[in-house]
Amino acid sequence: QRISAVMQSLNHPQARYPSLHIAGTNGKGSVAAMSESILRQAGWKCGLYTSPHLLTIGERIRVGGRQISPRRFADVATRIRQCERSLLRNHALDRRLTYFEFVTACAFLHFAEQAIDVAVIEVGLGGRLDATNIVSSRVCVITGVSHDHQDFLGKTLAKIAAEKAGIIKPGVPVISGCQPQEARRVVRRTARSADAPLVEVDRDCRIRITRERRGRFTIDLKTPHRLYRGLRLSMAGEHQTRNAALAVAAVESLVDFPAQMADIRRGLAEVRWPGRLDEYRARRRTLLEGAHNPEGAGVLAAYLKMRREQEIHLVFGVLGDKDYIKMGRLLFPLVKNIHLAPVASLRTADPTSVAAAHPGYRSRIQIHRNSREALRKAWAECSPAGLVVVTGSLYLVAELLPLVRKATKAV
């Protein structure tokens, strides 16, 4: 209601361009980045809205691959705040906008004033009640469903899927990467009731890996519309092969914004998304991964096993509402030393609580006052052949990315 009231007072800027709307537990940002990259390569003026940011808020709002400038953001933000004050005085708002609602409103207004052709919009939380769920979507993507944010979305996969399927609109194509049967049933039922054409990646697409080099894959992809051979993915991890399939299927469904084979090939080969299996040559090889739930931790564990890393030093910080017990069970057996640190958030888990939840690893665990101390100690203990992995939260990655970049050149 709040975001709708603000947009109405500004003459509905979010309705002035079509959107590709992306929900899901994991993979939203990667699919959004791939989709935007393909559309940009095809020559379309594309807006991209994602969250959270790592270093600056401008990362969340991009047009043509470029972040909104601080001056431009200040101008848009001032007008949104003025609009908010007016609506509060007139009792059209029950309270001030949340942080996410406010930044979302800024993005919608900026995109309209930049006269973009199409927007790629990542859901913040859930879908049905998310502030982004007022866009004029031409394609809806649900990357997948797993347990996360249960206090808000529900305790079962079916309930979580229902919240994410809330972005589905009548007649609008849906691309789904959901794998658990109970989640797939919900998405299928919702799409059917909305008369929305449904493409399921695991049913309707075929992915064949043809090459792997340093964790990056080349694939042949068969979608319901086309066969793509030799697609080279710039983003590391086998899970990105499914994300690429989701992005390609989504762009194919944007029939008013066609992309040629060469555009898709370049878009997937050139996309960059920091903080996701993002490796640097710092004081020691350092891998940054924003895995923040068990599914993400499982993807990271699979990646480390696939790379056959022999010596891993883990820097781990997590928010208190995450299932850090399951995350630890997946990651801790793979590593030599575990450096626990708080995340710079009021929601951080206490490192002593994380340690107490994993008594079997006490001899490997060190607790630090802050993340920078933890990273420096991990670097000091790691041999030249080893790997330092920073994970548990994108907030942790954001804290340490400047330090890593200062000490390194990107791989």
Side-chain angles (χ1 to χ4, degrees):
Q1 292 173 331
R2 284 188 293 272
I3 191 74
S4 296
V6 172
M7 292 297 97
Q8 182 177 356
S9 70
L10 295 169
N11 196 26
H12 301 289
Q14 84 287 355
R16 298 178 207 167
Y17 45 83
S19 293
L20 192 168
H21 200 193
I22 304 172
T25 303
N26 290 311
K28 298 189 299 293
S30 297
V31 174
M34 290 176 180
S35 301
E36 186 275 340
S37 183
I38 292 169
L39 290 166
R40 180 157 39 90
Q41 291 294 335
W44 302 109
K45 189 174 184 180
C46 187
L48 176 64
Y49 180 55
T50 59
S51 62
H53 61 271
L54 292 178
L55 301 180
T56 67
I57 198 169
E59 297 169 26
R60 297 177 179 231
I61 305 172
R62 305 174 190 236
V63 172
R66 294 186 176 184
Q67 300 177 24
I68 187 172
S69 70
R71 183 183 296 274
R72 173 64 181 164
F73 182 78
D75 173 64
V76 173
T78 298
R79 284 185 284 146
I80 296 295
R81 192 63 85 198
Q82 290 170 342
C83 173
E84 177 192 55
R85 290 195 191 107
S86 175
L87 293 171
L88 286 168
R89 283 195 302 269
N90 296 328
H91 305 290
L93 287 182
D94 60 338
R95 50 163 285 181
R96 290 184 64 175
L97 298 175
T98 65
Y99 176 83
F100 185 76
E101 288 168 340
F102 180 80
V103 180
T104 301
C106 291
F108 288 166
L109 182 59
H110 177 63
F111 290 163
E113 293 182 346
Q114 292 296 302
I116 64 171
D117 296 316
V118 59
V120 176
I121 306 291
E122 179 189 352
V123 164
L125 174 65
R128 182 175 64 92
L129 298 177
D130 191 73
T132 65
N133 201 23
I134 60 170
V135 296
S136 299
S137 53
R138 295 285 179 84
V139 180
C140 299
V141 178
I142 302 173
T143 61
V145 173
S146 59
H147 287 104
D148 199 9
H149 299 295
Q150 291 101 308
D151 289 345
F152 297 99
L153 304 181
K155 302 297 183 183
T156 67
L157 289 179
K159 288 183 178 180
I160 296 171
E163 292 299 317
K164 297 183 185 301
I167 70 168
I168 295 174
K169 305 295 190 299
V172 174
V174 180
I175 314 299
S176 173
C178 293
Q179 291 180 306
Q181 280 299 323
E182 54 188 309
R184 294 177 75 170
R185 282 194 292 267
V186 171
V187 172
R188 288 172 177 173
R189 184 169 61 247
T190 306
R192 188 165 54 248
S193 65
D195 197 24
L198 175 64
V199 172
E200 293 182 322
V201 165
D202 295 292
R203 180 192 64 189
D204 302 315
C205 298
R206 295 291 180 271
I207 302 168
R208 187 171 74 90
I209 294 171
T210 59
R211 186 184 180 194
E212 181 271 326
R213 184 172 182 270
R214 298 174 67 186
R216 291 172 170 81
F217 289 81
T218 300
I219 63 172
D220 292 342
L221 172 64
K222 177 71 170 62
T223 71
H225 300 284
R226 207 169 186 180
L227 172 63
Y228 303 86
R229 293 192 184 277
L231 296 178
R232 183 170 57 86
L233 309 185
S234 64
M235 297 179 68
E238 188 172 350
H239 65 291
Q240 296 295 0
T241 63
R242 296 184 79 257
N243 288 336
L246 287 164
V248 171
V251 170
E252 285 181 339
S253 296
L254 279 171
V255 293
D256 294 334
F257 302 93
Q260 303 301 314
M261 177 85 73
D263 305 323
I264 291 173
R265 194 177 299 281
R266 284 195 303 270
L268 294 176
E270 297 181 11
V271 64
R272 297 292 181 268
W273 204 234
R276 283 76 171 179
L277 293 181
D278 193 12
E279 188 172 331
Y280 296 83
R281 295 277 182 183
R283 284 177 54 190
R284 292 292 183 262
R285 281 192 306 130
T286 304
L287 182 73
L288 305 180
E289 166 53 42
H292 59 277
N293 54 35
E295 183 182 28
V299 167
L300 173 58
Y303 176 79
L304 295 172
K305 292 174 184 176
M306 183 267 296
R307 292 293 303 271
R308 297 193 177 110
E309 297 289 349
Q310 299 300 308
E311 179 191 345
I312 302 171
H313 298 257
L314 185 68
V315 177
F316 188 77
V318 66
L319 298 182
D321 59 349
K322 302 301 180 181
D323 192 346
Y324 52 76
I325 295 177
K326 285 185 180 178
M327 294 174 72
R329 288 173 181 166
L330 290 163
L331 294 172
F332 291 2
L334 306 179
V335 306
K336 181 176 181 179
N337 289 318
I338 302 160
H339 297 270
L340 301 180
V343 178
S345 168
L346 294 174
R347 296 163 54 206
T348 186
D350 184 345
T352 58
S353 298
V354 178
H358 299 91
Y361 299 95
R362 187 137 322 156
S363 63
R364 303 189 210 173
I365 290 176
Q366 298 178 48
I367 296 176
H368 301 273
R369 294 170 298 174
N370 57 66
S371 62
R372 295 172 73 88
E373 176 185 284
L375 178 59
R376 289 191 177 105
K377 189 62 183 295
W379 278 343
E381 292 182 350
C382 185
S383 76
L387 175 71
V388 172
V389 175
V390 176
T391 195
S393 171
L394 274 170
Y395 293 101
L396 180 72
V397 170
E399 289 176 52
L400 295 179
L401 181 57
L403 180 61
V404 172
R405 283 180 171 171
K406 186 176 180 180
T408 192
K409 58 181 180 180
V411 171

